[in-house]
Amino acid sequence: AQTVTQSQPEMSVQEAETVTLSCTYDTSENNYYLFWYKQPPSRQMILVIRQEAYKQQNATENRFSVNFQKAAKSFSLKISDSQLGDTAMYFCAFLPGSGNTGKLIFGQGTTLQVKP
Amino acid sequence: DTGVSQNPRHKITKRGQNVTFRCDPISEHNRLYWYRQTLGQGPEFLTYFQNEAQLEKSRLLSDRFSAERPKGSFSTLEIQRTEQGDSAMYLCASSPGTGFYQPQHFGDGTRLSIL
């Protein structure tokens, strides 16, 4: 069974600094998709960034980028120039390439606090 | 794009009662998902619809749980004979039918509290 592990329950960073959130996953599949979702306090979960496993190039979205290491099954999220609005719980999610269901498998989450 | 809408936002009920939640997906999204999220944890998949067909159910979805999407638009999730362990946030998400790998858009969730 596929699993996703986020080993950092809580992290904090000073405003304008850079922070990296870790995620590892376990799968025997070769084709899959990885996502980072952000869930602000009492607000809905929104997509931050996604990566297709068949792409070697790391995905970037403005201040957000990933370090995708397929062999190591690692998918970390880097947030540059942290802003107060980045304070949220961040979830790493895995989507198997087989099955065609869209069934996301989430990690336990990392609570990030950006301090002024 | 008005987003995924879930009602009610909060539901408090006594153990043993039945509850029903509603999810309105983004218009023309034909894939709809239900997840359950307990405090401090990531969401867990419950079930998935493509149009009106329920194509997969998690073993987490006991026979007390039933979900429907009668016309391929909104969906309902019913829990019968609620138990303490059902207390959680129930999240709905939808995605376009252009591919199962398309990002899912989540609603605000319905928080269920069992007294």
Side-chain angles (χ1 to χ4, degrees):
Chain A
Q2 294 104 345
T3 58
V4 177
T5 302
Q6 294 178 248
S7 58
Q8 306 152 314
E10 297 180 354
M11 293 192 72
S12 64
V13 63
Q14 291 296 130
E15 194 175 9
E17 297 292 306
T18 295
V19 64
T20 298
L21 308 183
S22 301
C23 173
T24 57
Y25 56 93
D26 187 23
T27 185
S28 57
E29 299 200 14
N30 189 52
N31 186 31
Y32 48 87
Y33 304 83
L34 294 162
F35 304 83
W36 278 98
Y37 278 89
K38 167 186 176 181
Q39 189 176 40
S42 301
R43 296 185 63 186
Q44 65 185 207
M45 190 142 43
I46 57 174
L47 178 70
V48 174
I49 199 166
R50 76 169 182 173
Q51 175 83 39
E52 294 88 351
Y54 61 85
K55 290 186 177 179
Q56 292 186 336
Q57 186 172 7
N58 289 324
T60 63
E61 286 288 342
N62 300 313
R63 298 183 295 106
F64 298 88
S65 62
V66 298
N67 183 4
F68 173 49
Q69 301 289 328
K70 191 172 184 179
K73 297 179 182 175
S74 171
F75 183 60
S76 60
L77 174 70
K78 185 171 83 171
I79 306 174
S80 303
D81 186 26
S82 297
Q83 300 176 359
L84 296 178
D86 294 334
T87 293
M89 196 155 188
Y90 287 81
F91 292 99
C92 177
F94 173 93
L95 177 63
S98 62
N100 194 28
T101 66
K103 171 184 171 181
L104 287 169
I105 301 164
F106 287 86
Q108 308 93 316
T110 296
T111 300
L112 175 67
Q113 184 176 14
V114 180
K115 298 180 178 179
Chain B
D1 182 351
T2 57
V4 177
S5 176
Q6 291 189 247
N7 287 288
R9 290 293 304 276
H10 302 277
K11 180 70 177 179
I12 301 173
T13 192
K14 294 182 179 179
R15 183 169 55 91
Q17 297 295 304
N18 299 344
V19 294
T20 300
F21 312 139
R22 175 177 170 130
C23 171
D24 288 88
I26 292 173
S27 177
E28 297 182 359
H29 276 191
N30 62 8
R31 290 172 174 257
L32 187 146
Y33 305 84
W34 285 98
Y35 293 86
R36 183 172 69 185
Q37 184 179 21
T38 53
L39 198 62
Q41 299 297 314
E44 295 175 293
F45 172 83
L46 291 178
T47 190
Y48 149 66
F49 290 86
Q50 182 159 342
N51 298 312
E52 66 276 9
Q54 187 175 20
L55 297 183
E56 183 166 343
K57 295 197 302 183
S58 164
R59 63 179 185 276
L60 293 175
L61 215 65
S62 76
D63 55 8
R64 296 186 299 107
F65 288 71
S66 62
E68 295 182 342
R69 195 182 182 197
K71 296 183 179 180
S73 56
F74 72 91
S75 176
T76 57
L77 177 67
E78 181 183 16
I79 309 174
Q80 296 183 327
R81 306 181 303 281
T82 52
E83 301 174 354
Q84 292 283 354
D86 297 333
S87 294
M89 176 75 85
Y90 290 84
L91 296 171
C92 177
S94 69
S95 67
T98 49
F100 70 96
Y101 47 83
Q102 293 295 335
Q104 295 173 24
H105 300 255
F106 284 81
D108 289 332
T110 294
R111 182 169 296 283
L112 174 64
S113 298
I114 307 297
L115 300 178

